[in-house]
């Protein structure tokens, strides 16, 4: 990868992936785009305001910057998707289709994240295998499974170098996620630091896979740089780091921030989605095909999150 185009760069993943990639490949070689202006991303390298559904504009940018890799991070998340399923389909699939077409026309590699949301209630919940039943019952999940199939199709039919991981809920401290079922596991750290009561929207015992952002960023680069000859799978790899339920997370936070207060007020949409997703993925294919290994666990992540979110509070940013 020499020149990378990022779609949806202003979101939870993009706002950290762009600086991470610029650190590796050089500021000028990572072109960030988003539908909204973003002064932070613009200050450090190329940034363009672009609607990811505008295929013509994307094609022009790919030519201007001689793009050879496209990272598509555009998506309405699971709970938002249930509020407006047709919009979720249009945006999630529209951006992905444009990214794949860039891959075909400009001979660029394409990365797009899939999710634990690609699984559904009939998927085995524990040690969820790499290759298993995928019948999600959310529009977000329907888009993710469709995206996985399209990614493999573009690879076998057109030879596009498509690669993807099924991300767990991602926990981070730069940009808040929005409209996802796993967002609670980010928001609780902000409540803990601000000394506010946290209102948890899913029940205390519902397990889901989670991952700290530094591991997520590293997984993307490691997969994209992996030797293609070793990849038996492409779209998409299970990756795992930790699995917990709300009560386990709150227990871990209280070890370091004992005054955390929590109340449960179940959001029926999020609860149903959380119950339909796996408890814990088996990521052995990612480990054996490209050497995936997480570095952060619940306690180390909690220490770092409380410190980083605490710094934001000290600076008056939250
Ligand atoms: N974090 C996403 C969501 O909760 C899952 O990929 O929607």
């Amino acid at each position: 990868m020499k020149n990378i185009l990022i779609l949806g760069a202003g979101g939870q993943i993009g706002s950290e992936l762009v600086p991470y990639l610029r650190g590796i490949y050089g500021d000028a070689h990572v072109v960030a785009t988003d539908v909204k202006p973003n002064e932070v991303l613009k200050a450090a390298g190329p940034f363009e305001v672009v609607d990811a559904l505008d295929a013509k504009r994307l094609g022009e940018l790919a030519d201007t910057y001689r793009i050879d890799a496209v990272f598509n991070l555009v998506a309405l998340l699971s709970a938002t998707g249930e509020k407006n399923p047709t919009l979720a389909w249009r945006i999630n699939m529209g951006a992905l289709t444009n990214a794949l077409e860039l891959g075909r026309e400009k001979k660029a590699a394409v990365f797009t994240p899939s999710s634990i949301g690609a699984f559904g209630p009939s998927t085995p919940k524990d040690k969820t295998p790499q290759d298993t039943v995928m019948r999600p019952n959310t529009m977000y999940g329907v888009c993710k499974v469709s995206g996985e199939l399209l990614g493999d199709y573009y690879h076998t039919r057109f030879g596009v170098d498509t690669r993807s991981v099924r991300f767990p809920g991602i926990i981070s401290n730069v940009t808040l996620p929005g409209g996802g079922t796993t967002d609670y596991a980010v928001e609780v750290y902000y409540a803990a630091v601000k000394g506010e009561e946290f209102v948890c929207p899913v029940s205390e015992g519902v397990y889901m896979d989670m991952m700290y952002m530094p591991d997520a960023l590293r997984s993307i680069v490691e997969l994209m740089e992996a030797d293609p000859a070793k990849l038996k799978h492409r779209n998409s790899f299970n990756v795992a780091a930790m699995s917990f339920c709300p009560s386990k997370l709150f227990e871990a936070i209280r070890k370091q921030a004992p005054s955390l207060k929590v109340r449960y007020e179940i959001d029926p949409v999020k609860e149903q989605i959380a119950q339909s997703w796996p408890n814990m993925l088996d990521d052995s294919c990612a480990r054996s095909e490209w050497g995936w290994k997480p570095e952060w666990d619940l306690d180390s992540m909690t220490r770092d999150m409380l410190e980083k979110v605490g710094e934001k509070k000290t600076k008056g940013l939250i």
Side-chain angles (χ1 to χ4, degrees):
M1 294 188 292
K2 288 200 175 66
N3 296 307
I4 303 169
L5 181 70
I6 316 272
L7 314 185
Q12 186 199 11
I13 299 178
S15 60
E16 297 198 51
L17 181 64
V18 170
Y20 183 75
L21 292 176
R22 284 178 173 164
I24 298 171
Y25 300 97
D27 290 345
H29 297 280
V30 180
V31 183
T33 73
D34 200 273
V35 73
K36 291 189 203 135
N38 188 309
E39 293 310 319
V40 177
L41 296 180
K42 196 175 170 180
F47 177 85
E48 306 272 354
V49 176
V50 187
D51 181 345
L53 301 184
D54 185 347
K56 187 164 167 278
R57 184 83 205 291
L58 292 177
E60 288 161 6
L61 283 179
D63 289 339
T64 307
Y65 290 100
R66 297 164 180 265
I67 293 301
D68 65 356
V70 180
F71 287 31
N72 168 44
L73 306 175
V74 174
L76 293 196
L77 295 185
S78 56
T80 309
E82 291 317 290
K83 287 195 188 122
N84 199 337
T86 48
L87 182 70
W89 174 265
R90 201 165 65 79
I91 292 179
N92 296 7
M93 297 312 292
L96 176 61
T97 310
N98 285 346
L100 290 168
E101 279 295 292
L102 282 181
R104 185 172 70 84
E105 285 169 7
K106 315 290 177 192
K107 309 222 174 312
V110 178
F111 173 83
T112 198
S114 185
S115 161
I116 51 172
F119 298 111
S122 50
T123 301
K125 285 220 174 301
D126 294 310
K127 297 206 175 122
T128 303
Q130 171 66 39
D131 302 307
T132 186
V133 181
M134 300 182 81
R135 307 289 296 175
N137 56 7
T138 62
M139 181 50 83
Y140 178 72
V142 169
C143 292
K144 289 301 185 193
V145 175
S146 308
E148 291 192 14
L149 293 172
L150 269 179
D152 277 347
Y153 177 79
Y154 269 72
H155 176 64
T156 49
R157 176 80 169 77
F158 303 121
V160 179
D161 186 358
T162 54
R163 306 184 189 191
S164 170
V165 291
R166 294 180 184 133
F167 272 138
I170 296 178
I171 293 159
S172 66
N173 50 57
V174 174
T175 303
L176 282 168
T181 304
T182 57
D183 295 6
Y184 88 89
V186 180
E187 290 160 358
V188 64
Y189 286 100
Y190 284 74
V193 166
K194 291 201 253 178
E196 291 169 357
E197 182 184 52
F198 180 65
V199 182
C200 186
V202 294
S203 55
E204 60 178 0
V206 63
Y207 275 79
M208 286 181 278
D209 275 291
M210 302 279 176
M211 183 180 287
Y212 197 28
M213 184 65 93
D215 272 340
L217 300 178
R218 193 169 46 76
S219 75
I220 296 174
V221 170
E222 286 180 2
L223 173 60
M224 292 309 283
E225 292 291 359
D227 176 357
K230 296 206 172 119
L231 301 181
K232 294 191 198 86
H233 297 84
R234 279 180 170 267
N235 303 281
S236 174
F237 283 95
N238 284 2
V239 284
M242 58 189 101
S243 162
F244 55 72
C245 59
S247 67
K248 291 278 176 229
L249 173 61
F250 305 153
E251 201 180 293
I253 294 176
R254 284 197 184 105
K255 279 197 251 164
Q256 298 173 49
S259 59
L260 172 69
K261 279 194 205 51
V262 175
R263 171 165 62 85
Y264 288 87
E265 204 173 283
I266 303 303
D267 172 330
V269 173
K270 289 190 177 179
E271 176 68 9
Q272 202 202 356
I273 296 173
Q275 295 288 355
S276 79
W277 288 354
N279 298 335
M280 190 191 56
L281 304 186
D282 174 349
D283 61 359
S284 48
C285 289
R287 287 174 185 258
S288 68
E289 291 175 40
W290 48 278
W292 162 245
K293 197 166 180 275
E295 287 174 358
W296 294 82
D297 64 14
L298 179 53
D299 286 332
S300 56
M301 174 181 79
T302 294
R303 242 188 322 277
D304 202 56
M305 277 296 284
L306 291 172
E307 192 185 307
K308 299 271 165 55
V309 179
E311 282 165 15
K312 284 181 118 172
K313 180 158 183 274
T314 311
K315 289 185 190 151
L317 298 172
I318 56 167

